[in-house]
């Protein structure tokens, strides 16, 4: 047997055996019932009390009624616990504030670049006088800014805020994260400039020249330092499932990025294989774990209700770790690669149904009976929408990996719609929700204009719905047209034009929503607008402290 086949097949078999051992251990009660672990994100008597700093006073009262309780303030919270949480939040305020600010700037730039590239697909003669804005450059500029600018920095900011919350201690080593974030941002900026100048490595998600990639590898590694330092100073015995996801993401990304960018090491077909190995893994082993960590913290936290079954959440984590690493190969169906490699990748893609079902069961039963809370909690509205899109995109992804479906959808706009379902519908929406929750905690300042939060949500919701639905339909019809030997190839191009125009319309609404979000973010960052502390701080005692501080 070929050595490579043996390695990959052996890894798959070990993963299957490990999964069964894990399930067997759970069935024998070796992990306990998970009750105490699920409750560790709450203080004593806090369960049953909702918490959303992005909500207005009226929304906060109604949110509490939605879950069946009348008192929305945590009067019984231990003052030492309150002080510890405030200290934990404040220990992250500088680094999280920097990450969020840079992320929002990148979001706006990425949106403009994305809209320009979208319009060029149905109006190719628009803005053709400048090399840097031609489709071949502006499109990878959009993709890389979204991935390494907006998504990465917002995800890092949320992760760093969660660390001291979950480990019940102050953040240790913030300076390393700031240094890492600085290198990372310089790398993204230089990478974008290089692409605009026509200097690209030519592989999707890996366009930055490898010399610039070094900045991202070092920066990403430095960002992970506070995780390990804070872990060493933790005041909890058990690591909540969100910590597992965050730790894995911050460990996996530098490894993936380093291997994929080794210069002159991956040649020919192997280069294409590594490209899609990385392209899929950066989504599934970097962005997805951070998004899932966020969901597992904020959904129960906002509802004041522990996760339904904690042990299932662990099963979901390990199933992701066992099976995701080789799913990217299904992008090479029909390519000059061994059929066993494709089959192995398809099999692992289908196995990804396991962590998705685990997540669905857990979150459904946690949210069951509390659906009205989505109306009154801005945080929950964004995050639960992102959760639904994760489940949908994951199941869709497993189906797209099947040869019969892939034959139609690959090389069409359907794949682009699928990518946006995951990276935007899931990850970006979850990050929006988390940022709406976190900013009042680190700023001690409420979002000044709640109506802008609602406007942001509905603009991106409607825009995203138009984008996904029409692009998916257009992509599917495009695939059928390309497979029809009786039709000329140009038919598959011209039939997509109305759907591409709809995509630009949806993208325009999403971009408008991002401008609203950015405007509101910077208004809050500069502390303009009314000062209200009701939802921005943790309890009445803390409010009094801030009022006294303000009076002094």
């Amino acid at each position: 047997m070929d050595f490579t086949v043996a390695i990959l097949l052996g890894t798959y078999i070990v993963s299957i055996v490990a999964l069964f051992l894990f399930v067997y251990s759970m069935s024998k009660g070796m992990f306990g019932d998970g009750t105490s672990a699920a409750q560790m994100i709450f203080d004593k008597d806090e369960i049953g009390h909702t918490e959303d700093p992005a909500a207005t006073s009226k929304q906060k009262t109604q949110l509490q009624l939605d879950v069946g309780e009348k008192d929305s303030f945590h009067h019984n919270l231990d003052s030492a616990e309150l002080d510890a949480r405030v200290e934990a939040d404040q220990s992250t305020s500088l680094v999280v504030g920097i990450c969020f600010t840079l992320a929002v700037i990148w979001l706006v730039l990425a949106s403009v670049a994305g809209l320009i590239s979208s319009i060029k697909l149905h109006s190719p003669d628009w803005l053709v006088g400048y090399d840097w804005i031609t489709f071949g450059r502006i499109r990878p500029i959009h993709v890389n800014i979204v991935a390494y600018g907006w998504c990465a920095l917002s995800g890092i900011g949320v992760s760093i805020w969660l660390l001291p919350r979950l480990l019940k201690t102050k953040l240790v080593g913030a300076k390393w994260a700031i240094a890492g974030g600085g290198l990372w941002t310089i790398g993204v900026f230089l990478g974008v400039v290089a692409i605009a100048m026509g200097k690209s490595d030519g592989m999707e998600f890996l366009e930055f020249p490898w010399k610039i990639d070094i900045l991202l590898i070092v920066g990403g590694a430095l960002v992970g330092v506070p995780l390990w330092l804070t872990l060493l100073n933790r005041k909890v015995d058990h690591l909540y499932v969100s910590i597992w996801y965050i730790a894995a993401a911050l460990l996996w990304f530098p490894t993936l990025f380093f291997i994929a960018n080794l210069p002159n090491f991956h040649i020919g077909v192997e280069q294409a294989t590594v490209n899609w190995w990385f392209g899929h893994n950066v989504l599934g082993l970097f962005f997805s774990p951070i998004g899932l960590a966020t969901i597992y913290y904020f959904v129960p936290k906002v509802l004041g209700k522990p996760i339904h079954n904690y042990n299932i959440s662990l099963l979901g984590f390990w199933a992701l770790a066992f099976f995701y690493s080789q799913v990217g190969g299904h992008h090479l169906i029909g390519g000059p690669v061994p059929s066993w490699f494709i089959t192995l990748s398809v099999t692992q893609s289908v196995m990804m149904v396991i962590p998705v079902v685990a997540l669905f069961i857990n979150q459904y039963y946690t949210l069951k009976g509390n659906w009205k809370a989505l109306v009154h909690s801005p945080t929950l509205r964004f995050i639960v929408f992102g959760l639904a899109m994760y489940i949908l995109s994951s199941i869709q992804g497993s189906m797209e990996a099947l040869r019969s479906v892939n034959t139609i959808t690959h090389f069409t706009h359907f794949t682009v719609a699928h990518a946006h379902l995951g990276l935007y519908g899931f990850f970006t929406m979850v990050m929006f929700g988390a940022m709406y929750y976190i900013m009042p905690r680190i700023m001690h300042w409420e979002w000044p204009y709640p109506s802008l939060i609602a406007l942001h949500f509905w603009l991106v919701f409607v825009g995203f719905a138009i984008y996904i639905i029409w692009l998916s339909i257009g992509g599917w019809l495009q695939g059928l047209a390309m497979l029809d030997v009786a039709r000329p190839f140009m038919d598959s191009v011209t039939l997509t034009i109305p759907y591409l125009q709809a995509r630009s319309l949806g993208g325009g609404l999403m971009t408008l929503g991002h401008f609203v979000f950015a405007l509101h973010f910077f208004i809050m960052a500069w502390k303009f607008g009314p000062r209200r502390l009701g939802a921005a701080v943790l309890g009445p005692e803390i409010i009094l402290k801030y009022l006294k501080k303000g009076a002094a």
Side-chain angles (χ1 to χ4, degrees), residues 197-440:
M197 295 173 65
K199 300 181 185 302
S200 165
D201 281 356
M203 294 184 291
E204 192 157 12
F205 289 113
L206 294 169
E207 283 94 346
F208 291 170
W210 69 266
K211 300 177 186 69
I212 295 175
D213 292 332
I214 294 172
L215 293 173
L216 272 71
I217 294 170
V218 176
L222 290 176
V223 165
V225 172
L227 166 69
W228 309 113
L229 294 179
T230 310
L231 269 172
L232 292 174
N233 287 274
R234 71 182 188 272
K235 296 177 180 176
V236 295
D237 295 324
H238 180 80
L239 299 181
Y240 188 69
V241 65
S242 296
I243 289 291
W244 285 91
Y245 278 114
I246 292 171
L250 296 182
L251 176 65
W252 285 333
F253 177 78
T255 307
L256 293 168
F257 202 68
F258 172 75
I259 293 174
N261 280 291
L262 283 173
N264 303 317
F265 192 77
H266 313 293
I267 308 295
V269 172
E270 182 182 322
Q271 188 180 40
T273 307
V274 171
N275 186 186
W276 282 112
W277 169 80
F278 173 81
H280 231 290
N281 282 346
V282 74
L283 301 176
L285 297 180
F286 181 50
F287 297 123
S288 290
I290 291 177
L292 295 174
T294 307
I295 290 172
Y296 269 113
Y297 179 81
F298 284 104
V299 170
K301 193 66 179 173
V302 171
L303 292 174
K305 178 183 178 183
I307 201 72
H308 170 69
N309 189 315
Y310 185 79
N311 287 339
I312 288 182
S313 70
L314 297 179
L315 175 66
F317 170 79
W318 285 109
L320 177 79
F322 289 150
F323 297 112
Y324 200 94
S325 65
Q326 295 178 45
V327 303
H330 70 249
H331 282 273
L332 299 172
I333 291 176
V337 292
S339 58
W340 62 261
F341 174 75
I342 300 296
T343 300
L344 192 61
S345 175
V346 171
T347 306
Q348 301 225 32
S349 299
V350 174
M351 292 297 282
M352 282 305 299
V353 170
I354 295 174
V356 175
V357 170
L359 178 74
F360 172 76
I361 292 172
N362 236 341
Q363 300 298 334
Y364 173 77
Y365 282 104
T366 303
L367 286 160
K368 187 179 180 183
N370 299 300
W371 299 108
K372 286 184 179 178
L374 302 183
V375 176
H376 302 108
S377 168
T379 297
L380 210 56
R381 196 179 309 146
F382 279 96
I383 289 181
V384 171
F385 181 81
L387 164 66
M389 292 304 101
Y390 174 77
I391 293 168
L392 182 60
S393 66
S394 298
I395 293 174
Q396 187 187 63
S398 294
M399 295 300 103
E400 280 186 73
L402 301 176
R403 285 182 171 88
S404 56
V405 179
N406 190 280
T407 300
I408 299 172
T409 60
H410 209 194
F411 303 119
T412 73
H413 299 299
F414 191 93
T415 306
V416 179
H418 171 68
H420 282 76
L421 196 60
L423 203 53
Y424 190 91
F426 158 50
F427 188 81
T428 291
M429 295 297 272
V430 169
M431 290 300 107
F432 284 147
M435 290 170 72
Y436 277 123
Y437 185 104
I438 293 172
M439 282 296 288

Side-chain angles (χ1 to χ4, degrees), residues 3 8 19 84 105 107 110 147 204 209 252 289 322 338 379 389 419 459 519:
F3 179 72
L8 294 178
L19 180 65
I105 293 172
L107 173 68
E204 192 157 12
W252 285 333
F322 289 150
T379 297
M389 292 304 101
L459 280 172
L519 174 67

Side-chain angles (χ1 to χ4, degrees), residues 44-58:
K44 181 184 177 184
D45 300 326
E46 194 178 11
I47 294 174
H49 294 282
T50 58
E51 181 180 338
D52 187 356
T56 63
S57 298
K58 185 178 178 181

